Every structure is written in C-alpha cells, then in structure tokens.
C-alpha cells in the first residue's frame, strides 16, 4: 500500500515515526505540547523585550531576534509533523518538500549566525565596556541582523538548489518526520549529490569559523571575568554568558553530528532522535535557558504576569 502511494503521487512519504496509529497520536500530542511551550516562551520574550524600556540593550535586541527566529524555525517542521500524525497521512508534495528544505536550512544557518553575533556582543560588553555603546550602537546592531538574515537566505538557496538538482531514482520514502537533506541524499543512486556535499563542506567551514570565533570570544570573556574582584559581578556576568554557551554547544554539536555523519541505507531511530535534538529542543529550551538566571528578565516576566507596568532598575551589569 505504501509503495503504491509513493509511486503514484509526485512527492515523498515521511516515515519518521511508528506506523502504529496509537503511537502516532502519542507522538503528535508530545510534539504539540513542545510546540505550545516553544510558542509561549518565545512569544513572552518577544513581548517583554519589546514593552520593557529597560530591556532595550543590544543583548535583549538580539535575544528578541533569536526568539523570533526560534518561532519560525520550529514552525517549519513541527506543525506538519503533528498534522501528518493526526491525519494518518504522511505524504508531502514535492513543492512542500522544496519549501521545507529552503526554510529549514535558511533558519538553521541564521541560528548559527545570530549565536555568533550574540557571543561578539557579550565579548564587547565585558572586555571593552567603555567602547560598548559605540561599537554596538543601534545602527550597527540592525546591520548585523540584516547580514544574519541575508546570509541565512543565501544558505537556504544553495542547499535547496543543490539538493533538488539530484535525481531521485529510489522509492521516495524519507525515514524522518520532515524533508531532511541527509535523508533526501539517500534517494539518489548516482554521483549527482556531490553538489550537496560541496555546499555541506562550504557551510561546514564557515560554521567552523563561527565556532572558533565564539570559542575565542569566551576565552577572552572568562579570562576577564576571573579578574573581576566582586563575586556578585562575576555571578551576573556568568548568568548571561553560560546560558548562551550551552545553547551554542548543544545546537552546533547535534546539527554537525546529523549533517556530517555518513548516511546509511537502513532507517535509524537514532537519526530521528538526533533531528529532534536540533529542530525541536533548542527553540523550546532557549526561552527557559535565557530567562532562568537573568534577574532583569524574571522581573519583567513577573510584571507581565501580574499585569503591572514595566518598571524596575536598569541594571547595567546584568546587561553586560
């Protein structure tokens, strides 16, 4: 039955989860809970960083952009996976797959780029506090974000053009809950996927450069922080830096592992679980991670929940 559906329809069949109807409903409900948590958390961050006049520093501007990005990123894959599971129809059209690959790869690269910019912001704030307002003025921040989003679009175009230039000569069954590039490469039985490998190599080199930049930034940050005499000052700096470092490490490690590991012709539950770790978990946990140890964010959140006006201290050190 599955073979007939695939061969008679111009699209792909997503088989990321179990064929059992009850398990599909369970997965759909689990994804729905995670999706609602991600939507709520990121929307709250966008709201409070927009309304609270004391959360207008570059750090919170970039955090708002990250939340907007995470809302878009998780919406590319999860809603369709929920719908497919509930409707018991895992078919996705060729056009839908193209759009999903484009937006997924664009937003994934944008995530790497914005995390790099955020690390530079922390580096500038902590290592060059006297020049921080000059270096990270609003105009420079806006241009940085324009560059981030444009670079994401270019990455998406490269990946999409290279991926769909190959000939899919095998049965169009994808053992994943979305149109993932590594899974699409398994459907090729010739060497025309080398273009995708080239794009992978190029993006990997640039991603490695971003990772090195982030690592060097934090080497300088931690060496500067350790010289701060005040324990409270060190604690406030760590409260903004450590969550960012965790997010960067988690996202890059899982994404690189998924995209650079050798592909296999046999379906693997590990591939599906790994994809969940870099598509669903980061957008869901980022709002919690960034807000948990940030007193300014927690104070603004309390004001929002208690329906108060946004007031409070403008603590420079918590922003820097």
């Amino acid at each position: 039955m599955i073979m007939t559906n695939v061969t008679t329809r111009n699209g792909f069949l997503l088989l990321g989860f179990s064929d059992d109807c009850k398990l599909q409903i369970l997965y759909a409900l689990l994804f729905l809970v995670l999706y609602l948590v991600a939507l709520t958390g990121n929307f709250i961050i966008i709201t409070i960083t927009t309304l609270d006049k004391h959360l207008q520093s570059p750090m919170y501007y970039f955090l708002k952009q990250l939340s907007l990005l995470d809302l878009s990123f998780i919406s590319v894959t999860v809603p369709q996976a929920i719908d497919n599971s509930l409707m018991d129809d895992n078919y996705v059209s060729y056009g839908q797959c193209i759009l999903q690959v484009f937006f997924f790869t664009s937003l994934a690269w944008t995530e790497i780029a914005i995390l790099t910019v955020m690390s530079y912001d922390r580096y500038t704030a902590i290592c060059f506090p006297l020049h921080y307002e000059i270096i990270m003025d609003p105009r420079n921040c806006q241009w940085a974000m324009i560059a981030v989003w444009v670079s994401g679009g270019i990455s998406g175009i490269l990946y999409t053009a290279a991926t769909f230039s190959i000939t899919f000569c095998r049965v169009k069954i994808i053992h994943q809950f979305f149109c993932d590039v590594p899974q699409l490469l398994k459907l090729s039985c010739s060497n025309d996927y080398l273009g995708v490998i080239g794009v992978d190599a190029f993006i990997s080199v640039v991603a490695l450069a971003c990772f090195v930049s982030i690592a060097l930034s934090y080497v300088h940050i931690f060496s500067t922080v350790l010289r701060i005499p005040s324990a409270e000052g060190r604690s406030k700096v760590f409260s903004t830096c450590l969550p960012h470092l965790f997010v960067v490490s988690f996202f890059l490690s899982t994404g690189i592992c998924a995209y650079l590991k050798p592909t296999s012709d046999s379906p693997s539950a590990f591939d599906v679980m790994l994809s969940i770790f870099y598509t669903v978990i980061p957008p869901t946990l980022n709002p919690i991670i960034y807000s948990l140890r940030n007193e300014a964010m927690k104070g603004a959140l309390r004001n929002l929940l208690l329906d108060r006006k946004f007031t409070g201290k403008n603590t420079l050190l918590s922003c820097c």
Side-chain angles (χ1 to χ4, degrees):
M1 183 65 178
I2 291 177
M3 295 290 290
T4 303
N5 287 341
V6 176
T7 55
T8 57
R9 302 173 74 175
N10 182 27
F12 302 89
L13 195 65
L14 305 178
L15 296 180
F17 299 121
S18 172
D19 294 333
D20 185 272
C21 184
K22 293 182 180 179
L23 286 178
Q24 284 191 9
I25 295 176
L26 179 62
Y27 293 138
L29 292 177
L30 177 61
F31 265 40
L32 180 60
V33 170
L34 292 175
Y35 186 58
L36 291 177
V37 170
L39 288 183
T40 303
N42 285 291
F43 182 74
I44 288 175
I45 286 183
I46 293 172
T47 301
I48 62 179
T49 53
T50 300
L51 297 180
D52 194 330
K53 63 182 181 180
H54 298 307
L55 299 182
Q56 303 302 313
S57 69
M59 183 182 79
Y60 296 111
Y61 171 73
F62 294 133
L63 182 57
K64 178 166 63 175
Q65 293 290 324
L66 179 65
S67 293
L68 178 62
L69 171 63
D70 284 338
L71 280 176
S72 305
F73 189 51
I74 196 171
S75 297
V76 171
T77 57
V78 173
Q80 185 180 54
I82 296 172
D83 180 68
N84 290 346
S85 296
L86 292 178
M87 302 304 295
D88 196 23
D89 182 11
N90 295 326
Y91 170 79
V92 59
S93 70
Y94 195 84
Q96 287 176 314
C97 196
I98 291 176
L99 288 175
Q100 196 170 59
V101 168
F102 170 73
F103 284 110
F104 179 80
T105 53
S106 295
L107 295 174
W109 171 254
T110 304
E111 182 107 5
I112 296 174
I114 195 173
L115 290 174
T116 305
V117 172
M118 290 175 73
S119 70
Y120 179 74
D121 170 68
R122 296 298 83 218
Y123 164 73
T124 307
I126 295 169
C127 299
F128 301 99
L130 299 180
H131 301 89
Y132 179 69
E133 292 185 0
I134 299 175
I135 298 174
M136 304 302 294
D137 74 322
R139 184 178 178 84
N140 289 341
C141 292
Q142 291 172 2
W143 277 111
M145 289 313 306
I146 291 174
V148 164
W149 287 100
V150 169
S151 66
I154 294 173
S155 172
I157 292 173
L158 290 175
Y159 258 118
T160 306
T163 300
F164 290 95
S165 65
I166 68 178
T167 303
F168 301 114
C169 52
R170 300 185 182 183
V171 179
K172 296 179 181 179
I173 296 178
I174 300 175
H175 295 279
Q176 190 59 270
F177 64 92
F178 67 102
C179 287
D180 199 16
V181 173
Q183 296 295 322
L184 286 169
L185 295 184
K186 296 180 181 180
L187 305 181
S188 173
C189 54
S190 63
N191 290 330
D192 55 0
Y193 63 83
L194 293 178
V196 183
I197 302 300
V199 174
D200 257 338
F202 172 72
I203 296 297
S204 298
V205 170
V206 181
L208 178 62
C210 290
F211 178 75
V212 171
S213 173
I214 293 171
L216 291 176
S217 296
Y218 275 99
V219 168
H220 288 289
I221 287 172
F222 290 138
S223 64
T224 302
V225 168
L226 293 177
R227 293 197 296 268
I228 296 178
S230 169
E232 182 181 359
R234 289 196 299 268
S235 175
K236 288 183 177 181
V237 172
F238 280 128
S239 70
T240 60
C241 292
L242 291 180
H244 179 259
L245 187 59
F246 174 80
V247 169
V248 171
S249 303
F250 186 83
F251 183 77
L252 284 179
S253 60
T254 53
I256 290 174
C257 181
Y259 270 68
L260 294 186
K261 78 179 188 67
T263 59
S264 172
D265 291 331
S266 59
S268 170
F270 175 74
D271 292 334
V272 178
M273 292 302 300
L274 190 62
S275 65
I276 291 175
F277 279 124
Y278 68 84
T279 59
V280 181
I281 301 302
T284 304
L285 291 184
N286 282 356
I288 301 173
I289 293 172
Y290 279 108
S291 304
L292 197 59
R293 298 187 61 190
N294 191 307
E295 293 300 327
M297 291 288 292
K298 288 191 288 187
L301 179 59
R302 282 193 296 268
N303 291 334
L304 177 65
L305 295 177
L306 296 175
D307 196 25
R308 290 192 230 159
K309 292 183 179 180
F310 285 97
T311 58
K313 299 178 181 178
N314 186 6
T315 53
L316 179 62
L317 191 54
S318 68
C319 299
C320 298

